[in-house]
Every structure is written in structure tokens, then in C-alpha cells.
Amino acid sequence: MKDNVMPFLEDESVAQYIDGVAYHWYTSMQAAYENVPPQRVFDGRPSLIGGAADVKDVWEKLQEQSKDKFVLASEACNGYDITSDKWFGP
């Protein structure tokens, strides 16, 4: 998230038009990777796990610009295993 969003937030000519940032929130692997920087944990898989640490950094940057700016969890789910294409859960 940080790699994709921060360049826009750090460019004042662009940031003035940003009211907030939306992101997808996924829980996996018993929350083992939620509050860490995004990382690859399976060799050969392009997927990154974690990244909530980035959400905090983006939130702080938005709040530094204006207390009216927001972060929105636009989608969330639990029960997806990135090592498989199958969903599991209740």
C-alpha cells in the first residue's frame, strides 16, 4: 500500500485532491502477518502477506495533511488461503 499511495500523498500538487485512501483488508494465517510490512512468505508465489504497518504510515501521512482525511477499509474477508485457489471458512 505504501509504495502505491505515498508518492501521491507526498506530491503536494496531487495530495490536495486526495480526501482519503481505501484498501482491502484480508486476514490470513491466524493474523501472523497482519501488523507487519508486506512480505513474501512463499517462494514462487507473487502474493504479499501483511501490510497493516503500511496502513498506519499512510494514515499518519493523511492526518498530517488534514484531520479531515480518512482511510477506508473497502473490502475485508477472512478464510482465504493464498497457497490455494479455494476459499475456506464457515
Side-chain angles (χ1 to χ4, degrees), residues 39-48 82-85:
Q39 54 195 288
R40 249 178 210 69
V41 295
F42 299 108
D43 292 335
R45 297 287 297 192
S47 302
L48 296 175
I82 66 165
T83 64
S84 170
D85 292 331

Side-chain angles (χ1 to χ4, degrees), residues 51-80:
D54 283 2
V55 175
K56 181 178 183 287
D57 292 340
V58 169
W59 166 253
E60 288 172 350
K61 182 67 173 177
L62 287 167
Q63 290 297 288
E64 176 185 305
Q65 293 174 351
S66 170
K67 296 296 180 189
D68 293 332
K69 293 192 176 191
F70 60 89
V71 173
L72 173 69
S74 59
E75 181 179 332
C77 75
N78 188 359
Y80 185 76

Side-chain angles (χ1 to χ4, degrees), residues 1-9:
M1 176 178 184
K2 189 163 61 172
D3 290 344
N4 296 322
V5 173
M6 289 302 250
F8 297 106
L9 295 178

